[in-house]
Structure formats: C-alpha cells, structure tokens
Amino acid sequence: MSDISNKQRLLKIRELFEADTDEENELSLKDLKDKLRGFFGNDYDVRENALRDDMRELNESDFCIIENEGKYGKKFYSHQERLFELYELRMLIDAVVSARFITKKESRQLIEKIKKLTSTGLSKKLQNQIYLDETIKTPSTNVRFTIDCIHVAISENRKINYQYGKYNVDKEFKLNREGELYSVKPYALIWNNDYYYLIGEYEKLGQIRHYRIDRMRSVTVQDEQFKRNPFNVAEYVNKTFNMYSGEEQPIEIQIDNSLINVMIDRFGRNVDIRKVDDNSFILKTNASVSDGLVGWLLMWGGQAKVLKPGTLVQKLKEESQKLYKQYNEK
C-alpha cells in the first residue's frame, strides 16, 4: 500500500513497542511486519532495512529500543522504559479502589486508563489485584465535576456556592436547611479516611470548616474573588479527629507503651511525649475537642487515660457510662 507514509509507519511502530514489548516481551522483525499488516492491511509490505532505519530513528529521538540476540543469531527488539513502575501503578489502582467518593463505574474506567500506562503484557499482572467493594462506593456521579469546579475556584481565589445534605434513616438524601445555599471561600481539598473534603471559610459564621465533597450539590463558582488568609492545612487536619469540628484545646493523655507507634503515626515523631514508667507515657498536643476525638479515644479503652482538659474527661465519663448502661441493661 503506497498510500502509507513513512511517518505513519514510524508512529505505528512506536505504538507497537509501547503496547506489546517490555522486560519480558520482545518483537522480531517478522513480528513487526505481521503487526503492521494487521493494522495497514494484508497487502502492506515493508523492507526489513526500512524497519531497522525506523528503530534507529526512534532511538535517536530518545525512545529507547533494546536489541537482543536469540537462538541462531535471530534479533529481538523491545522498549522497556516506562514512566511508572508496576508497583506504582498498583498503588494508584489501590487508591482508586479504596476511594469512597468515586462511583464503581468511574473506578473501573480509571483503572483501565491506569493499565494503559504500561505494556499489555505487564497490565495483565495488575488484573488480579482489582476488587471493587460496592458497599463503600458513592452512588453520586457528580463528584468528579464538583472536584474540578472547586479546583478552579481555589486556583482563582473565587467563592463558591452549593447545597449540602446527608442521608436519613430511610436512606434518602436530604438537603440541609431546606436547600439553603452555602457560601464558602475555598482554601483546600484534602483526601482523608478515603473521602474528599473541602476546607474553607464559611462566610455566614466567618469560620474555617470542612465539608464532604460527595454530600455537596449544585456547586457553582462565583465571579467574586476573595483574599486568602494565612492557613495551615496540615495543622488543621492533624488537630481534627475523624473530620469532626470542635474547639481547639491543649490535651494531655497517659498512654500504654504498646500504643507508641499508633501515636507516632497519628501525631508525628515531633509530638511531645514524656515517659512515666516502664508501662506508660504522657502525650501532650493541641486538638479539636469533639465527638470525633471522644470516639477515637474510646477505641483504646483502658490503654489511654485523658488527664486534661477536664471538659474532655467529663465527656469520656459520660460516654463510658452510656456504654456500660447499654450493655448491662436486662
């Protein structure tokens, strides 16, 4: 077929090497000719010298093609360089699978796109790693558009309006405040506990708050811009437990030594820790005192005892009494 240009052939050869070769899969010149016929038509023919020239040109353009010699001196060729290692692609797929704010359909679409970042042969090794749990996936298909909208607003320092809601016991999504619009100055998007959250200043109260992206509806970017106040996102997240808001206070907890790694994972290696005895240590930090913090502390049972503040100690006493009563009622 004389109507196939050299440039078309060159581009197709590059595509074939990217898709069909890697560290474990190679192509001979005959394989290349057969694949080109499969694409351009059975009557397409190309000289082997022309294929060698094409591969030389690709190498000179920094698209590396490796030549190996097989049995009886037969030559095999492969492209082995990849932008992502296989383990990196597995991590990306795991993140997509575990992300609660992405629907099951969107997850599968993203996974297929990620698999295209490597060769066909290597992508097959990713296949058995995929498990999608429908119970954790959001049914909302608007999340990706909401995320894009908010990214634009953050980059341009523009206010956003939206409705916010949650599910009731009948599993019906209901808007808060009869659908009243929230006006927020968006500061950052974060991924926490497998959910996406917006952190921003709620104009009505002039307070920094956070909102789950999958619970937002009718998000619009406003023309009005705002001046961003100094704000440390990492510090905000570190002081917020299970994404519950509350008044920031200094806290002091006596903790069993067996939980030292848990506490370092949660607060970082620079957290203020003082050894008490061979069995426990005292941890001091600032945190938002909230139901989220109370729930987190109750997870550790008798292995963690709050010393300060008194208000938090009282909350824990009340919750402990409720639990005791609930499980001891006849």
Side-chain angles (χ1 to χ4, degrees), residues 14 16 23 48 71 99 139 158 168 205 285 288 299 319:
R14 176 177 175 138
L16 288 170
E23 294 90 337
E48 290 189 354
K71 288 184 179 180
R158 296 187 184 277
N168 60 21
L205 298 177
T285 189
S288 296
M299 286 172 54
E319 287 301 314

Side-chain angles (χ1 to χ4, degrees), residues 111-216:
I111 288 168
E112 288 306 310
K113 290 178 181 178
I114 291 171
K115 287 164 64 177
K116 289 179 181 178
L117 295 171
T118 190
S119 68
T120 303
L122 291 177
S123 70
K124 291 177 181 177
K125 296 186 176 184
L126 298 170
Q127 191 65 35
N128 294 333
Q129 311 295 324
I130 301 167
Y131 169 71
L132 291 178
D133 185 353
E134 289 189 69
T135 61
I136 70 168
K137 290 295 183 180
T138 178
S140 175
T141 58
N142 299 319
V143 174
R144 64 183 185 275
F145 302 113
T146 301
I147 291 171
D148 185 57
C149 232
I150 295 173
H151 271 303
V152 170
I154 291 172
S155 65
E156 298 180 359
N157 290 330
R158 296 187 184 277
K159 297 179 183 179
I160 59 172
N161 287 346
Y162 54 86
Q163 296 170 305
Y164 197 68
K166 56 187 176 183
Y167 286 94
N168 60 21
V169 293
D170 295 317
K171 295 187 282 187
E172 299 170 331
F173 189 84
K174 296 293 184 182
L175 294 173
N176 293 354
R177 303 170 187 170
E178 299 181 345
E180 175 187 327
L181 284 175
Y182 288 61
S183 180
V184 173
K185 299 175 182 177
Y187 281 9
L189 278 173
I190 64 158
W191 191 352
N192 188 282
N193 294 327
D194 295 327
Y195 286 107
Y196 246 136
Y197 290 86
L198 163 69
I199 298 177
E201 183 182 333
Y202 179 40
E203 282 203 292
K204 191 172 183 178
L205 298 177
Q207 296 176 347
I208 299 294
R209 294 195 168 186
H210 55 265
Y211 303 89
R212 258 179 52 178
I213 298 297
D214 58 308
R215 293 181 179 173
M216 300 167 84

Side-chain angles (χ1 to χ4, degrees), residues 26-31 67-77:
E26 301 173 307
L27 294 174
S28 66
L29 290 178
K30 181 181 181 303
D31 294 330
E67 178 184 297
N68 284 322
E69 189 169 314
K71 288 184 179 180
Y72 313 113
K74 187 175 182 180
K75 300 293 178 63
F76 293 89
Y77 306 89

Side-chain angles (χ1 to χ4, degrees), residues 253-257 259 263 279-283 303-304:
I253 317 168
Q254 185 166 344
I255 303 169
D256 188 273
N257 284 345
L259 295 180
M263 297 302 149
N279 301 311
S280 64
F281 60 91
I282 287 179
L283 181 148
Q303 294 178 294

